[in-house]
Amino acid sequence: MANIDFNKGVSFQDWQANFEQWAEEAPEGALKRYYQAGMIKATTPLKDTPLLALDLETTGLDPKTDEIISLGLIPMTHNAIRCQGARYWMAKPKRDLHAESVTIHEITHAELAEAPRLDSILDEILDALIQQVVVVHCVSIERQFLLEASLKRYGYPLYFPVLDTMDIERQVQHKPWWKRFGKPTSLRLDACRQRYHLPRYKAHHALTDALSSAELLQAQIAYHMNLETDISDYWL
């Protein structure tokens, strides 16, 4: 097993201290409760870290103008995926769907017609995130879209610690410039999974992609990560 120094050159992130500060500043309600519940210590070993795989489907890639239309969550550990605890929500956007986005995620106007607005289910989603380190594939999507949703709903940002399977794989596959030949290594979720001989799933369903990220992280842990290492060496 190759142990990768994932946070080399990255500043230390004390999520526990940050949560204490944000709990004081956040407005009353679900977001304050989320921060008041706290976060695990930075010295918690990876093997003892509570993990929650998360994926979003959105109307586009710009968190300022596009919207979340579905969200999937699956609780997990380094060696188990608790499918019985999976959660899935659909959210009706305020704007009409673009034809291009429907082609990608295959969620239609008709399916969303009776779905609630994201504002009305965000409290429930926050409750599911309490004291969890979130597992995603591409942190900029999930973190930024949920931050924008929180600002619109509560007037205060939502932050959470993340294990990003894309970033982990990027560091695993990194080569010095003099060894880089041919086509660049793909970091797409399916391409990363194929390197570990994981089964292929139909992409762009939030719950399926959350499961895909969970399985990928477990493979990455088995091959490249140390279960006794502090979570602060891996989270973002």
Side-chain angles (χ1 to χ4, degrees), residues 6 16-17 20 51 114 128 187 223:
F6 289 101
Q16 190 176 52
E20 291 174 3
L51 302 171
E114 301 302 320
L187 295 177
Y223 279 89

Side-chain angles (χ1 to χ4, degrees), residues 6 12 20 44 86 107 137 151 153 157 166 177 187-188 229:
F6 289 101
F12 176 74
E20 291 174 3
T44 303
I107 299 175
H137 191 77
L151 286 172
R153 172 73 174 86
M166 176 183 282
W177 65 267
L187 295 177
R188 296 178 66 88
T229 297

Side-chain angles (χ1 to χ4, degrees), residues 69-70 90-93 97 105 107-116:
I69 55 173
S70 68
M90 297 180 75
K92 184 178 181 180
L97 298 174
H105 52 62
I107 299 175
T108 65
H109 294 84
E111 289 178 284
L112 293 171
E114 301 302 320

Side-chain angles (χ1 to χ4, degrees), residues 11-39:
S11 60
F12 176 74
Q13 179 72 278
D14 188 346
W15 283 98
Q16 190 176 52
N18 288 341
F19 268 51
E20 291 174 3
Q21 176 185 334
W22 297 329
E24 295 180 3
E25 300 173 350
E28 293 295 331
L31 187 59
K32 182 178 280 290
R33 292 195 302 272
Y34 167 73
Y35 286 132
Q36 286 175 332
M39 183 46 60

Side-chain angles (χ1 to χ4, degrees), residues 3 7 9 17 28 40 65 76 80 96 108 115 125 141 162 167 172 180 188 221 223-224 231 235:
N3 289 322
N7 269 2
E28 293 295 331
I40 61 170
T65 57
M76 63 175 292
D96 289 340
T108 65
I125 293 169
I141 297 295
V162 165
D167 187 65
V172 167
R180 297 176 195 167
R188 296 178 66 88
I221 289 172
Y223 279 89
H224 310 295
I231 189 60
W235 67 14

Side-chain angles (χ1 to χ4, degrees), residues 47-66:
K47 65 182 177 65
D48 297 328
T49 297
L51 302 171
L52 187 71
L54 180 151
D55 187 78
L56 308 176
E57 292 300 322
T58 64
T59 58
L61 296 178
D62 187 345
K64 296 285 186 183
T65 57
D66 293 310

Side-chain angles (χ1 to χ4, degrees), residues 201-236:
Y201 299 143
K202 183 176 175 62
H204 301 298
H205 184 286
L207 196 55
T208 304
D209 284 353
L211 175 62
S212 295
S213 298
E215 291 178 343
L216 175 58
L217 177 65
Q218 288 184 334
Q220 291 170 328
I221 289 172
Y223 279 89
H224 310 295
M225 300 164 76
N226 186 338
L227 288 172
E228 301 298 331
T229 297
D230 294 349
I231 189 60
S232 60
D233 281 6
Y234 297 125
W235 67 14
L236 302 174

